[in-house]
Amino acid sequence: MEQRHVILDCDPGIDDSLAIMLALSSPELLVEGITVVCGNCPAEMGAGNARKVLRHLGRLDVPVFQGEERPLRREYVSALDTHGADGLGESFLPPADGPVQELGAVEFMARTIRARSEDGSGCSVIALGPMTNLARLIQRDPEAFSMIREIVSMGGNFRSHGNCSPVAEYNYWADPDAAALVYETAAALGKKIVMVGLDVTRQIVLTPDLLAYMKRLQPETGQFVQAITKFYYDFHWEWEHLIGCVINDPLAVAYFLDRSLCSGFEAYTAVETRGISIGQTVVDSMGFWKKPANALVLTHTDVLGFFRLFLSRILGRREEELDLLEQLISDRKKDENR
Ligand code: BDR
Ligand code: CA
């Protein structure tokens, strides 16, 4: 099987950790490295968390690179209120032995993207946090940025409301100037960013029943997921009156693996950098601006298909073995419609 080369650019972060687990249990992917940006937690903490997840997976061989410590222009605002004081759901897991790489995240991105472009394999970036590292890559080595095969970004929103302002999603809100630069540069290069925004990720709810099922099927992984998500469940109950937690980031990895899991439309998209709608994605779905599309905006997702992939991969089970999954997903749909 020919593997697709990727860099996971993230801010782990509870759902980022689940995304790392999915990527590293997927044989179709060759994860060149994990680059960390400030977002949910400071970059240093995020890099340490990435290594805690890698230790759990027995994959400390995957290099972790620390990246930007503050947004391009705005002041840094973490999401520790959502992800817990340690950024990993207050699981307070002990640090993993050994340091992160000395090379900075942006330099690593530039070198890897260039090398994979030169040998013909190509390298994509799955961006799961604020886009500051990618924006710095544009500023420092625009040619390397132009060589990225594909950018799949968890961020933004089209019809859905925001999650940190009425109209803005956290990753783009935390560094709107970076997100704006990435979308503008994609437009100039004739590329399209895949926008895995809240319209689709809000549908990916890890319910307590699904977690209990995971623990039955694979106790060690189930307990690890429980340890890092408990805080997230409490947060969702307190703020959204939701029994369960929205796990955004693994959907971006899942879509990278399987294009049938989401659908949407192509449109020119800009990111607001000022004022009360700072961080909002302005999606020109009606073509008012007559500009070529620079984004594929995902609007629909196959929730059952996602969980089939996600659970089978991280639990190391065959999809046919997930006999209760369909029932558990349809029970949630019934609850939602009540
Ligand atoms: C995004 O923000 C972060 O809190 C999550 O990790 C996810 O990447 C959702 O808005
Ligand atoms: Ca994230």
Side-chain angles (χ1 to χ4, degrees):
M1 178 199 306
E2 207 183 311
Q3 290 184 302
R4 289 150 76 200
H5 297 246
V6 286
I7 293 171
L8 297 180
D9 187 47
C10 56
D11 57 339
I14 297 168
D15 55 339
D16 299 80
S17 300
L18 300 175
I20 293 171
M21 291 168 77
L22 175 59
L24 288 174
S25 54
S26 295
E28 305 89 332
L29 302 186
L30 194 158
V31 178
E32 295 270 2
I34 296 177
T35 53
V36 179
V37 65
C38 68
N40 292 325
C41 53
E44 190 180 352
M45 185 187 279
N49 287 343
R51 287 184 51 82
K52 291 179 186 177
V53 178
L54 293 174
R55 176 185 52 202
H56 166 77
L57 296 171
R59 290 299 310 274
L60 279 169
D61 57 300
V62 176
V64 176
F65 302 85
Q66 200 174 309
E68 296 301 301
E69 287 169 28
R70 60 190 62 87
L72 293 192
R73 295 202 189 96
R74 274 195 102 178
E75 267 195 24
Y76 169 51
V77 183
S78 80
L80 292 176
D81 58 337
T82 314
H83 292 259
D86 63 349
L88 216 47
E90 305 201 343
S91 52
F92 297 116
L93 299 169
D97 290 341
V100 300
Q101 302 291 313
E102 264 181 38
L103 189 67
V106 178
E107 184 56 34
F108 167 74
M109 279 179 163
R111 288 188 196 180
T112 308
I113 292 158
R114 281 181 171 281
R116 295 290 81 79
S117 175
E118 275 152 29
D119 71 19
S121 44
C123 184
S124 297
V125 175
I126 305 181
L128 306 172
M131 288 174 130
T132 323
N133 285 345
L134 279 169
R136 290 290 182 209
L137 178 65
I138 293 171
Q139 293 172 336
R140 290 178 204 163
D141 190 346
E143 195 184 37
F145 179 84
S146 74
M147 292 170 169
I148 299 175
R149 183 157 283 181
E150 187 176 25
I151 298 175
V152 177
S153 159
M154 190 285 128
N157 46 312
F158 170 52
R159 291 234 162 92
S160 167
H161 56 86
N163 63 359
C164 58
S165 90
V167 296
E169 177 281 327
Y170 175 75
N171 288 338
Y172 293 2
W173 174 87
D175 195 346
D177 301 288
L181 180 61
V182 170
Y183 277 84
E184 278 161 23
T185 309
L189 293 169
K191 290 184 177 246
K192 293 181 193 74
I193 310 283
V194 180
M195 187 181 117
V196 188
L198 295 176
D199 299 79
V200 280
T201 65
R202 271 191 200 288
Q203 298 173 47
I204 306 298
V205 178
L206 183 67
T207 61
D209 278 354
L210 280 169
L211 181 57
Y213 189 44
M214 289 169 78
K215 285 199 297 181
R216 291 282 179 209
L217 293 178
Q218 224 294 352
E220 205 195 326
T221 304
Q223 267 144 24
F224 182 79
V225 173
Q226 182 175 42
I228 66 171
T229 53
K230 189 192 169 301
F231 188 92
Y232 218 26
Y233 277 98
D234 294 342
F235 174 86
H236 279 82
W237 171 247
E238 209 176 308
W239 285 89
E240 303 200 8
H241 212 59
L242 177 74
I243 300 186
C245 53
V246 177
I247 51 169
N248 306 277
D249 292 338
L251 185 62
V253 175
Y255 179 75
F256 189 77
L257 288 164
D258 179 356
R259 304 295 148 136
S260 74
L261 290 178
C262 300
S263 60
F265 61 92
E266 294 181 353
Y268 182 80
T269 298
V271 181
E272 179 57 90
T273 56
R274 279 164 307 174
I276 59 169
S277 40
I278 191 165
Q280 180 178 16
T281 35
V282 183
V283 177
D284 187 12
S285 59
M286 302 303 287
F288 287 106
W289 294 333
K290 309 253 178 297
K291 290 189 177 181
N294 61 347
L296 168 62
V297 179
L298 301 181
T299 51
H300 291 85
T301 189
D302 169 4
V303 176
L304 176 60
F306 165 80
F307 276 109
R308 203 179 276 131
L309 178 79
F310 179 61
L311 262 55
S312 65
R313 293 290 168 92
I314 74 166
L315 302 176
R317 293 295 190 117
R318 281 182 292 112
E319 292 192 358
E320 312 78 77
E321 287 180 89
L322 304 175
D323 54 345
L324 285 186
L325 186 61
E326 202 166 338
Q327 182 66 45
L328 294 175
I329 300 288
S330 74
D331 286 352
R332 158 149 167 86
K333 286 236 164 334
K334 275 185 227 136
D335 282 350
E336 246 183 357
N337 294 335
R338 251 186 226 145

